[in-house]
Amino acid sequence: RGGPRAKTKMDDADAMSESTLREAFSFFAKDDSGSISAEDLKEAMKKMGNALTDAEVKDIIKEAGSTKTNSITFAQFTRLMTVGARAIDQNEDDVVRTAFELFNKKGDGAIDAKEMQEGLATFGMTLTPRETDLVIAEATLTSTDATLANKVIKFDLFKKVVSMDSH
């Protein structure tokens, strides 16, 4: 009954593919109910470093268009993310900086292997130390920066790597 409506929302999501949205949705939805509960939303946002109050969670669910007070469907999530993606596109540098800061927990301007491993784990990607080193090595492959010896990724390189997919 909500199929065509969800498809329309997908067509509007020009900044995000359906697979990206489904992957993000599954990060938030912790069970197979087909929706994100208020608790799931609160827990996921806390993991990403943005703890929410119950009132904020309720506001987000309401903004998503949910008629229920405790969950968000995939179609509603898509609508919410599409609106958010359009706002994000307006200031890509701020978005990339925020993403960088999610990894750069020490705040020293460089993401080391430990921070990379912990940051990726936050998003459900568990890597071994070797795999983490390979991610950093790949990111720094074309860099002539002295950070190669230190095995860290600074903001300018992070921005270049993150922007490669979108340009």
Side-chain angles (χ1 to χ4, degrees), residues 74-104:
F74 179 70
Q76 292 162 340
F77 178 79
T78 300
R79 179 181 163 274
L80 192 62
M81 296 308 292
T82 301
V83 169
R86 286 193 185 119
I88 285 171
D89 282 344
Q90 294 173 358
N91 200 340
E92 185 180 325
D93 274 357
D94 286 346
V95 174
V96 174
R97 174 70 64 188
T98 300
F100 180 80
E101 290 170 3
L102 286 173
F103 287 90
N104 184 29

Side-chain angles (χ1 to χ4, degrees), residues 6-52:
K7 176 123 177 76
T8 301
K9 299 216 183 283
M10 284 302 182
D11 293 342
D12 290 343
D14 47 26
M16 295 184 171
S17 69
E18 181 175 358
S19 63
T20 300
L21 287 164
R22 288 209 180 276
E23 189 174 327
F25 184 80
S26 68
F27 173 77
F28 285 91
K30 296 300 177 196
D31 57 28
D32 293 328
S33 67
S35 64
I36 300 168
S37 71
E39 281 304 309
D40 288 346
L41 177 60
K42 193 172 183 177
E43 181 182 322
M45 293 302 290
K46 185 177 179 181
K47 280 184 181 178
M48 292 190 304
N50 189 13
L52 301 176

Side-chain angles (χ1 to χ4, degrees), residues 113 116 127-141 151:
M116 178 65 71
L127 300 182
T128 66
R130 171 81 176 125
E131 290 168 327
T132 304
D133 286 344
L134 289 172
V135 168
I136 291 175
E138 184 175 339
T140 58
L141 191 62
K151 295 185 179 179

